[in-house]
Amino acid sequence: MKTQVAIIGGGPSGLLLSQLLHRSGIESVVLERKTKDHVLGRIRAGVLEQGLVRLMEEAGCADRLHAEGYVHDGTLISYGEEMFRIDFTEHTGTPVIVYGQTEVTRDLYAAREAAGGLIEYEVEDVVIHGADTDAPHVTYTQHGEPRRIDCDFIAGCDGFHGVSRRTIPPELRREYEKVYPFGWLGILSETPPVNHELIYANSERGFALCSMRNEALSRYYIQCSLSDRPEDWTDEAFWQELKRRLPAAQAEQLVTGPSIEKSIAPLRSFVTEPMRWGRLFLCGDAAHIVPPTGAKGLNTAASDVHYLHRGLREHYATGSSEGIDSYSEKALSRVWKAERFSWWFSSLMHRYPDQGPFDLKMQVAELDFLRSNRAAQKAMAENYVGLPY
Ligand code: RFL
Ligand code: PHB
């Protein structure tokens, strides 16, 4: 088979890139290791920056997002019994949209299918060949059959555990990593959200987050130990612990019910440089990971896709390689700022095993400062709604 861009990974990065390329008249094939149902079964991001919303519009996939997404003009931050609000719209003129990654992915699948786009599911043994030559190709097996795609370019959109990043020779890539000494235990429950905006809670028992998907579906997280397993936590134990980490007024209002999903995510900051090797380009979690505290993972994947789409479009339209040559540098410049914000917000909100009394005082001082200083609130709001691209 021949195509212009072979895309490895059918998560949000790969699907969005494929759909944007299609709208620019560029052909691609998406190779996904799992089934569509499996990809749609993952409960992940919930908060979309305006930049991603614009890309979904450009992709022709934003109707449902506009109809069903929730506009959030701010967020609440609590510490102990104190709580304050950061007003995104007041400080930046821009809200965020609460609309689950599952729905983003569903909309992108629907658009690819409507356009007759080729997505190969349940592919195994994907190998990238000749990325540093002018004639790369990808081999894989599907249901036991060997397959090959010849292409002009390869987009590595295969997440943190994919093959694309590891195809770049180790001597040519540099990796930066910070692993956090805790995870997030998350549940989804068919209960009304405790609040119409998100609550990020710093408590002496550890971090908690109250999020939502819609008026009848809530998403809650609590900081947990890395040795915990989801089955160690009954729903009752989860709700008890969540209540202890919220200010009393919010804890009292919390409506509890059975969980319909429960999972633990470890927290990590990770960046690989460069994000390009020859004709292979890395996008999204394949190149970088942020702890979820700032809601930046999917949004940073989207800005990579934007830069790569622009570069490829320019290349096919004019023959210029300027956009693709500057891809890694442009993407990384924004990635590092999202890394900084996610690391800062994580550090501010969690309990760390090695935290002494001084460190705890620093957290409180920083929270007091954020609560009362408009410049600090503006900086937080600008980062949360997403730096421009
Ligand atoms: P994905 O979603 O991991 O998709 C990669 C796809 O590649 C496939 N794959 C392969 N296919 C073929 N061959 C191979 N060898 C392959 N290896 C892997 C996989 O099956 C998969 O389908 O990466 P992508 O597309 O870059 O998207 C990134 C986002 O999924 C991720 O950044 C976000 O979910 C992170 N994240 C959040 N981001 C936000 O912007 N806002 C949030 O509110 C937010 N909350 C979260 C999050 C991530 C979380 N977890 C579970 C890590 C909350 C959580 C709990
Ligand atoms: C979510 O709703 O899953 C969510 C929201 C905000 C975050 C992380 C996750 O910072």
Side-chain angles (χ1 to χ4, degrees), residues 183-225:
W184 278 19
L185 167 65
I187 70 160
L188 197 62
S189 76
E190 287 169 327
T191 51
V194 68
N195 189 59
H196 68 284
E197 290 179 341
L198 272 55
I199 305 175
Y200 288 88
N202 172 318
S203 100
E204 61 182 25
R205 299 183 66 88
F207 172 74
L209 170 60
C210 304
S211 183
M212 57 172 290
R213 292 293 176 271
N214 59 49
E215 272 135 20
L217 193 58
S218 298
R219 181 75 167 150
Y220 295 105
Y221 298 96
I222 54 173
Q223 174 183 349
C224 67
S225 160

Side-chain angles (χ1 to χ4, degrees), residues 8-14 31-34 38-39 42-47 101 109 123 126 157-163 184 219 221 265-266 283-286 288 290 292 294-301:
I8 305 176
S13 302
L31 302 179
E32 169 54 49
R33 190 172 52 165
K34 303 285 187 183
H38 181 99
V39 176
R42 298 179 182 133
I43 311 294
R44 288 191 172 175
V47 177
Q101 176 168 332
Y109 273 132
V123 304
V126 170
C157 301
D158 48 354
F160 184 65
H161 300 287
V163 295
W184 278 19
R219 181 75 167 150
Y221 298 96
C283 284
D285 280 16
H288 42 75
V290 287
K296 289 283 154 264
L298 174 62
N299 292 302
T300 312

